[in-house]
């Protein structure tokens, strides 16, 4: 999925993101506002993984959606 589309449709896409990463809260998603780097950081924090792993997960999600 093109990240410009993600940003433009953040409210719709955030539901898919929450399905993928259920530990992210609605408040976290509201703070992210479609910013990819912030999404990676929130995933990293919520799941206690390193930045490279969070980045990989987001890339995989983009490819599949």
């Amino acid at each position: 999925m093109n990240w410009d589309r993600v940003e433009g449709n953040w409210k719709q896409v955030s539901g898919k993101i929450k399905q993928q990463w259920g530990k992210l809260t609605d408040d976290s998603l509201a703070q992210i506002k479609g910013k990819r780097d912030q999404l990676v950081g929130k995933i990293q924090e919520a799941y206690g993984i390193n930045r490279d792993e969070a980045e990989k997960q987001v890339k995989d999600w983009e490819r599949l959606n």
Side-chain angles (χ1 to χ4, degrees):
M1 179 177 283
N2 179 308
W3 202 259
D4 290 333
R5 283 185 59 205
V6 171
E7 283 184 292
N9 297 307
W10 183 246
K11 288 186 180 185
Q12 295 87 342
V13 174
S14 63
K16 288 183 178 183
I17 289 173
K18 194 163 183 180
Q19 285 178 341
Q20 179 71 30
W21 295 285
K23 289 185 180 181
L24 296 181
T25 65
D26 291 333
D27 287 342
S28 292
L29 293 173
Q31 289 173 354
I32 293 167
K33 297 181 185 171
K35 304 295 184 223
R36 189 181 188 284
D37 60 325
Q38 289 184 19
L39 174 61
V40 171
K42 293 289 185 183
I43 292 169
Q44 183 181 359
E45 289 174 19
Y47 288 89
I49 58 177
N50 65 38
R51 185 148 187 99
D52 289 340
E53 177 59 27
E55 186 74 42
K56 179 188 175 302
Q57 288 183 18
V58 171
K59 282 182 184 177
D60 290 345
W61 180 85
E62 288 173 322
R63 196 169 25 89
L64 297 173
N65 288 283

